[in-house]
């Protein structure tokens, strides 16, 4: 996408937000802004948690791979009895 199109899309989104806010009484607009900021924070927290979990899964996979390498050495445990 070119920069002008992105700018126009952002401008249109801003106008849509203002149009929706205009539908509500003045007292409700403050609440809408709070709800919007809380929603953004929740989404950021969820994304951060998701990225953190992905990193843990990669670490677990690396640990399992290292353990399998160590277990596949030339010597094997033999149980007698």
């Amino acid at each position: 996408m070119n920069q002008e199109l992105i700018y126009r899309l952002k401008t249109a989104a801003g106008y849509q937000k203002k149009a929706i806010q205009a539908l509500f009484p003045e007292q409700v607009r403050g609440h809408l802004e709070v709800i919007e900021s809380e929603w953004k924070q929740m989404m950021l927290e969820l994304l951060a948690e998701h990225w953190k979990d992905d990193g843990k899964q990669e670490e677990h996979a690396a640990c399992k791979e290292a353990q399998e390498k160590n277990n596949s050495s030339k010597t094997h445990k033999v149980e007698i009895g």
Side-chain angles (χ1 to χ4, degrees):
M1 282 190 199
N2 64 24
Q3 295 296 328
E4 184 179 347
L5 180 61
I6 292 172
Y7 172 76
R8 288 183 182 199
L9 288 172
K10 285 183 180 182
T11 303
Y15 288 141
Q16 284 179 331
K17 180 179 173 182
K18 288 180 183 180
I20 291 171
Q21 287 178 344
L23 296 173
F24 293 97
E26 190 70 37
Q27 302 112 350
V28 178
R29 290 183 196 167
H31 294 292
L32 290 175
E33 291 174 7
V34 170
I35 291 169
E36 180 185 8
S37 67
E38 297 253 341
W39 179 257
K40 287 180 182 177
Q41 287 297 318
M42 285 180 10
M43 291 299 111
L44 288 174
E45 288 175 11
L46 286 172
L47 287 172
E49 188 174 314
H50 177 72
W51 287 331
K52 187 171 86 173
D53 288 344
D54 283 348
K56 285 183 181 177
Q57 289 174 357
E58 290 173 5
E59 288 176 14
H60 290 303
C63 287
K64 279 186 176 180
E65 189 176 309
Q67 286 176 347
E68 288 174 4
K69 267 188 177 179
N70 289 339
N71 290 341
S72 66
S73 64
K74 293 182 181 181
T75 59
H76 297 283
K77 182 178 178 181
V78 177
E79 292 185 24
I80 301 174

